[in-house]
């Protein structure tokens, strides 16, 4: 089982930028890419790639997962998790990999400050990644 550890999965970013704004952008971009790789590894561990190629989800299940029409089409036509972004991975993890816990209150938390630091369950880690990505996207 893949354990999610945000801190150790962040790459070291060299200070190559000429301006602080460019440097900040490069760091944030690197962070989002790293976190996406972490979620892909978790998704692949819970939903192996060979299962994904055979998976034929029902439209109803995908709509209940609150996927957009674009995401539904994308899932049906792309059977490779390496092409999934953070938003799609979080939705798939919640609704298909953690379906017994999909109503857990942590999924609805939008503020990482409200998730106690010592809470290290996998859902908390996934939600932290999602929230961090959302915060980064709001800053750019």
């Amino acid at each position: 089982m893949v354990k999610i550890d945000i801190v150790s999965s962040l790459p070291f970013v060299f200070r190559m930028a000429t301006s602080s704004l460019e440097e900040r952008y490069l760091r944030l971009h690197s962070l989002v890419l790293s976190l996406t790789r972490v979620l892909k590894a978790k998704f692949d561990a819970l939903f192996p790639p060979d299962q994904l190629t055979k998976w034929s989800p029902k439209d109803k299940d995908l709509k209940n997962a609150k996927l957009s029409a674009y995401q539904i089409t994308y899932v049906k036509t792309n059977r490779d998790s390496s092409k999934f972004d953070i938003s799609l991975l979080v939705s798939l993890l919640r609704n298909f990999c953690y379906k017994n816990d999909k109503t857990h209150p942590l999924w609805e938390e939008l503020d990482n400050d409200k998730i106690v630091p010592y809470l290290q369950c996998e859902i908390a880690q996934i939600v932290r990644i999602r929230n961090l990505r959302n915060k980064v996207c709001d800053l750019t």
Side-chain angles (χ1 to χ4, degrees), residues 17-28 139:
T18 56
S19 71
S20 61
L21 186 59
E22 185 178 352
E23 181 179 332
R24 182 173 166 227
Y25 172 78
L26 289 173
R27 286 175 182 251
L28 293 175
L139 294 175

Side-chain angles (χ1 to χ4, degrees), residues 48-86:
D50 61 326
Q51 278 187 321
L52 188 60
T53 57
K54 299 172 191 168
W55 185 46
S56 59
K58 297 176 184 162
D59 285 343
K60 177 184 170 191
D61 293 334
L62 293 171
K63 286 179 184 174
N64 287 341
K66 298 181 182 172
L67 297 181
S68 68
Y70 174 78
Q71 287 176 318
I72 291 172
T73 303
Y74 196 79
V75 167
K76 288 184 164 203
T77 57
N78 292 292
R79 301 306 177 134
D80 181 4
S81 66
S82 68
K83 298 179 182 183
F84 296 168
D85 66 0
I86 287 179

Side-chain angles (χ1 to χ4, degrees), residues 80-107:
D80 181 4
S81 66
S82 68
K83 298 179 182 183
F84 296 168
D85 66 0
I86 287 179
S87 297
L88 183 55
L89 286 165
V90 169
S91 292
L92 293 174
L93 283 166
R94 177 181 183 174
N95 291 285
F96 297 100
C97 298
Y98 290 93
K99 57 185 165 189
N100 293 334
D101 293 322
K102 72 179 182 180
T103 58
H104 193 290
L106 276 174
W107 290 113

Side-chain angles (χ1 to χ4, degrees), residues 24 28 32 110-111 130-140:
R24 182 173 166 227
L28 293 175
V32 169
L110 302 176
D111 184 358
R130 180 201 64 200
N131 293 346
L132 183 59
R133 180 251 182 211
N134 290 343
K135 188 174 183 177
V136 165
C137 288
D138 285 345
L139 294 175
T140 56

